[in-house]
Amino acid sequence: MAERVQQPPAKRLCCRPGYGSTCRQGQRAAGATCGGGGAGGSASNQGGSSKTQNPESLLDIAARKVAEKWPFQRVEERFERIPEPVQRRIVYWSFPRSEREICMYSSFNTGGGGGEEIGSSGESGDETRLPFRRGIALLESGCVDNVLQVGFHLSGTVREPATSSEPELVCNVSVSFDRCKITAVTCSCGNKDIFYCAHVVALSLYRVRKPEQVKLRLPISETLFQMNRDQLQKFVQYLITVHHTEVLPTAQKLADEILSQNSEINQVHGAPDPTAGASVDDENCWHLDEEQVQEQVKLFLSQGGYHGSGKQLNLLFSKVREMLKMRDSNGARMLTLITEQFMGDPRLALWRQQGTTMTDKYRQLWDELGALWMCIVLNPHYKPEQKGFWLRQLRRWSGVDVCPLEDGNHGSELTNLTNALPQGPPGNPDSLTRPHRTVFTRAIEACDLHWQDSHLQHIITEDRHTSYCYHDNLDSSLFDARGWPLWHEHVPTACARVDALRSHGYPKEALRLAIAIVNTLRRQQQKQMEFFRTHKKELLHKGITSVTNLEGWVGHPLDPIGTLFSTLMEMGWASEDGATALLDFSGSPGSGRRTTEPSVSPAAAAAQRFLEDGESFVSLAVETALIGLGQQRVMPDGLYAQEKVCRNEEQLLARLQEVDLDDTLVKIFRKQAAFLLEAGPYSGLGELLYRESVPMHTFAKYLFTSLLPHDAELAYKIALRAMRLPVLESTAPSGDLSRPHHIVSVVPNRLPRWFTLSHIETQQCELASTMLTAAKGDARKLETVLESIQKNIHSASHIFKLAQDAFKIATLMDSLPDITLLKVSLELGLQVMRMTLSTLNWRRREMVRWLVTCATEAGVFALDSIMQSWFTLFTPTEATSVVASTVMSNSTIVRLHLDCHQQENLANSARTLALQCAMKDPQNCALSALTLCEKDHIAFETAYQIVLDAAATGMNYTQLFTIARYMEHRGYPMRAYKLATLAMTHLNLSYNQDTHPAINDVLWACALSHSLGKNELASVIPLVVKSVKCATVLSDILRRCTLTTPGLVALHSRSRNSGKLMPLDKAPLRQLLDATIGAYINTTHSRLTHISPRHYSEFIEFLSKARETFLMAHDGHIQFTQFIDNLKQIYKGKKKLMMLVRERFG
């Protein structure tokens, strides 16, 4: 708490007109301890030091009851004179006697969860730093001294031992109390926190555990009344002397006012006394530092989810629930303070302005806030004025623009909470659909609910209903055939009542109502199945139903199924663990000790009368969860609402998985599975399925794994039925009876936007994978599962994952391959190939390689099959570069243990595939086809002919040059020459492309032609002259042709025309030389058009290379001189450049 050193002001004015001066003399408060003296004499019993227990006196019994219920002012007003022993016992019993509330107000952790929380100093870790733990440690270390109780005020000093970093600290602590509640605390430690500090805890527990060691005085006003004038003056003067620096100015001020007849202080009867207890008008509640609650919540919110702030806020919400369970009025006060800070969060306005959504964790905090207000307004023992105050408060918050909406969307329309309630006046028709339902809307609607319904009162108050049951009308909606009560109300609302009862500390009533609701759900389920069986043909034909569950129970803001499940499970564990040691939170000062006597919850014992033979609370909880999870419900709108459906379902399933299945639970699973399969439109696993229904994949996976060891056929029926995902399918015509399961659209012409579709498809995939794993070795089941996958899964990535999973399971290292499962894997892989053949998928290459691996594992037949039908599975490039290449690799041959005949057959198939691909896509497949057909002459010639046919139109120069080089490498130079000349016809190199990637291919082609002979070179040079305009490239070719004699490096044995070098003044080199000189002239003029000074030196070097080429001609010197003179004349304006030309070339 925010402990302050200043004492709180006195709560009321005290005077004793009934006491005369005669009775004051000598009657002072002696220094007796809390338990000693007086008429009570029972302190030794309370301390627990004696093993014998004496009966309490009538005075103690009466004083304890008065101390718990009456403010002390009322006692004084009721009786003119109260004997001192009676006052002493009332003051004694007014201090809290239980440690549970002190623990609640001094730590997040409560003492109710286990015995270790109270009675020991705890163990190492975070718990030891909790104020309550530290307070116990200080108490047990003897650090509490000078404890004094004056009336309703307790004070003392608590010594904090020195540590390595901190010196010893002595804190002055004071505690005010009233009617067994601590109403104010102060401590000089100065710590600021929501909860009591460790020093307040230590002092309070000292008074609880050691009351006999605490000196007790009556209220200070009583002591003053017993003094005469001299004693009073001496008392005041001594008090001023001891504390003159602090109180002297105040004392003088008070003296002046008292001596002034007209002062305000003289107009009031009596004087304040901070130790005299509470007045009649004071609210009786535990001390809660509201300022610190607000500051801490604001701090947590400002941290935006970092530093564990979300966890801290959830702990605060848990503290509110704990207070409600203790029926502490501070629960509502604390939640009000928290809500005000949430509503004042500046991020709300910012998010609204920017149009962004709040974070998921922050959104969950708002949900919890709304649920807590629902619990508070449904308090069965509220006062009407309290509910009116809460309603005004909730409406004010809900009317603020930034108040979050219930589902995170704008304009959500859901059924009004009070619709179809069997009580009270009908709701406002205009409120049946609200355009904006905030997180507080349900709490506002719940303010219209009440608990006065006679049947509801009988449910929650009576253990037996035989006297109330209408035996002559067992079909009444109020009772089932056994005479057990039913409660027909909007299910989330009814469950909110259960949550409210639990939250406010009424576990027995909550359990009774929960059982009635579950029995109602079971009866409703039975009637729905009977109705569907009767009208099945009609419903399937029309494709509609009279009931539409637009509001699902799982993922609902009020979490009705989770509430029922928790209520029943808590009682179930309590029944099973009845002999577990429980904490003694009784009113005795010795509380904190453990009892080991077996104990069964009274609530559980009473409600067990409404369980069938062999049924338990755990089995009832499990059945409730199965009913809720199997309900067919429409997927809500909005990202958050849809994510909440998934999250709520997973949370509920996680809690179910903690329950060990016994024979009783297996029977329930079988029963509910049968219901779900036969319940038609009411079940998410029924035959009639809405297109917008929440899928059942996750739930069905849990049912499948649970039922598989006990009833495999039923398990597969459930899982196969749940594989449906109609939102991705087209709506079936209403009269179409050819489809085994009908899909109906609740909202016509509506295209649902499912934000969680990716997650849902993943869950569908996991369900299918689970079935594949379980079906290993069973060919019939594997075939059924495969058909379901092919029909219902529409994502290639997920089918690919299933194929991979099946392959891994089928080829486990410790066993022989499962051929049937391997075929399933292959079939799924083939489906993936077909699905992704004409679409873009970044994993396509991985998929192709995997399929070949799978087919290899399946055997020669599978490989041959995919090659025969390659055009439906692969692109030509994939078929040649991956499929055929892998099939013809040595590793595949070794892996399959093929003989020569099998190898040849497989190779023939691969070559046939390669030739087909080359015909279809020669640009990308011709080279691969040639490579694959190398060992078969006919196939190789066919592939070569395909290339020649495609060269004229379908292939570019790069592809032709590549194949030509391959031909030369394989020893076919003439074929390489022919392909190179074809490639040259497609090439065009301009004057400035001196770095073009095809230059190397041109040089290689010319070198090949030169090596073949003069005739081949003579044929290629005209092509070069036509295609290449770049002077440097032409000059390079020219020099290479003049260095060696044509044909001398030929690899073939053909005779040559001559062994001499070819002359430059005759064909074909003359044509090449003229073209080169012309290219230099054209390039020079082109460069001079846009030349800049920084390129002058580079240009001079270019002219130098040009001169070398000019000089190769017979009259080259004259030509170059004329060329330079022309440049000087034409570009005489470029004086600096021409000067450089003259310097170099004259």
Side-chain angles (χ1 to χ4, degrees), residues 654-665:
R655 298 174 69 180
L656 278 173
Q657 287 169 345
E658 296 174 359
V659 181
D660 295 328
L661 295 188
D662 55 17
D663 292 340
T664 302
L665 292 181

Side-chain angles (χ1 to χ4, degrees), residues 8 28 75 111 147 179 229 296 337 367 373 504 548 618 700 710 717 727 778 783 785 847 861 936 983 1037 1100:
R28 62 185 181 85
V75 177
V147 183
R179 284 168 277 181
R229 185 196 178 286
Q296 290 290 331
L337 298 171
D367 283 351
W373 275 114
H504 289 283
T548 56
V618 173
H710 310 285
K717 282 183 182 178
V727 73
D778 189 326
E783 183 180 356
V785 175
M847 293 171 175
F861 177 80
D936 187 297
I1037 296 172
I1100 297 300

Side-chain angles (χ1 to χ4, degrees), residues 368-424:
E368 179 65 9
L369 202 62
L372 282 170
W373 275 114
M374 190 81 174
C375 286
I376 286 176
V377 300
L378 283 176
N379 183 348
H381 292 99
Y382 66 89
K383 296 178 180 177
E385 57 270 19
Q386 283 180 324
K387 180 166 276 194
F389 172 75
W390 292 332
L391 180 59
R392 290 190 298 273
Q393 195 169 242
L394 290 167
R395 283 176 173 168
R396 176 172 61 85
W397 289 329
S398 187
V400 178
D401 288 341
V402 296
C403 184
L405 301 183
E406 183 178 65
D407 63 351
N409 286 339
H410 295 283
S412 172
E413 295 186 357
L414 291 176
T415 306
N416 183 283
L417 188 66
T418 57
N419 188 26
L421 300 187
Q423 55 178 33

Side-chain angles (χ1 to χ4, degrees), residues 991 1028-1031 1034 1074-1084 1102:
Y991 76 93
V1028 180
K1029 307 300 179 184
C1030 182
L1034 289 172
D1074 292 343
T1076 306
I1077 292 173
Y1080 269 116
I1081 293 172
N1082 292 332
T1083 303
T1084 300
F1102 174 77

Side-chain angles (χ1 to χ4, degrees), residues 617-631:
F617 294 118
V618 173
S619 64
L620 199 60
V622 170
E623 185 170 10
T624 304
L626 297 181
I627 292 173
L629 288 165
Q631 176 205 27

Side-chain angles (χ1 to χ4, degrees), residues 514-530:
I515 292 174
I517 294 171
V518 174
N519 286 333
T520 307
L521 292 179
R522 294 197 289 193
R523 187 187 190 199
Q524 182 184 33
Q525 188 184 49
Q526 181 67 40
K527 286 185 174 293
Q528 287 172 346
M529 189 177 71
E530 292 171 358

